[in-house]
Amino acid sequence: MDALRGAAVLAVIAWHVVSVPSLFGLPMHAWIHTAFELLEPVRMPLMFVLSGMLLPHALTKPWSAYAMGKLRNILWPYAVWMVLTCAALGSLASLTAPWTLIGGAFHLWFLAVLLACFALGVVTRWVPPLLLAAAMLATLWLGDFSTHAVNRFLYWGAFFFLGAALWRHRDAIAGFRPWFPVV
């Protein structure tokens, strides 16, 4: 699982290395863009599934250890990088916009969604994670949400809770080791 998580992180980093310069007008070879676009359906879903697989084990910890771990490992980096990113991009005023803080400015949306998923995981610990994933997708499909923060939470949260549901099958999944990257 660690190797798979490392591969997913590298795929996300590589995509940013390739795509961000093009935002500033630097040309990107078409084949590079195509190669990274092929990984798009895998990159972030895999990140959220793998993050969700950490939830069941995390919920076995005492509440104080769970909360402190999420505050230290997700909320603190989110807050620090939110201020630094907004300052570097000259948009400190966006720190006063509630949906920016809730949804994460720029690339920080991932940490905002992750924090919300771990928070929901605590208050719904007795609900089967697969049911939560299905409910999130149904809410997204049936609802009409005008904010990116809500849409992102529901969409990516479904992958997160799918990962939490897969936790019990982790040994069987690990048995697919040589074939998993191909699939």
Side-chain angles (χ1 to χ4, degrees):
M1 189 164 129
D2 288 336
L4 194 55
R5 189 170 37 191
V9 168
L10 287 175
V12 170
I13 291 170
W15 169 246
H16 284 90
V17 166
V18 168
S19 66
V20 170
S22 67
L23 295 175
F24 295 101
L26 297 173
M28 180 189 339
H29 291 288
W31 70 269
I32 294 174
H33 183 73
T34 301
F36 279 99
E37 287 296 317
L38 289 172
L39 292 175
E40 186 172 358
V42 176
R43 267 191 322 265
M44 293 312 294
L46 183 59
M47 290 288 291
F48 276 101
V49 166
L50 292 172
S51 296
M53 288 182 79
L54 300 174
L55 178 66
H57 176 69
L59 289 174
T60 64
K61 297 177 182 178
W63 162 246
S64 59
Y66 180 89
M68 287 307 296
K70 300 311 164 220
L71 291 173
R72 182 178 51 253
N73 297 323
I74 302 174
L75 183 61
W76 175 247
Y78 175 73
V80 168
W81 284 105
M82 178 77 88
V83 171
L84 290 174
T85 299
C86 289
L89 296 175
S91 61
L92 281 174
S94 65
L95 291 174
T96 61
W99 283 114
T100 299
L101 293 175
I102 292 169
F106 311 104
H107 62 287
L108 297 173
W109 66 267
F110 172 76
L111 291 176
V113 171
L114 200 59
L115 188 62
C117 287
F118 276 109
L120 181 62
V122 167
V123 298
T124 60
R125 64 178 7 159
W126 296 280
V127 178
L130 199 53
L131 181 61
L132 281 174
M136 293 175 99
L137 287 177
T139 303
L140 182 62
W141 185 58
L142 296 172
D144 185 19
F145 304 102
S146 61
T147 62
H148 290 296
V150 174
N151 288 329
R152 282 180 175 158
F153 171 66
L154 293 171
Y155 181 76
W156 296 112
F159 285 103
F160 180 89
F161 287 104
L162 173 62
L166 290 173
W167 169 254
R168 71 175 60 187
H169 306 291
R170 66 191 176 280
D171 293 332
I173 293 168
F176 294 125
R177 189 177 325 238
W179 294 102
F180 198 72
V182 174
V183 173

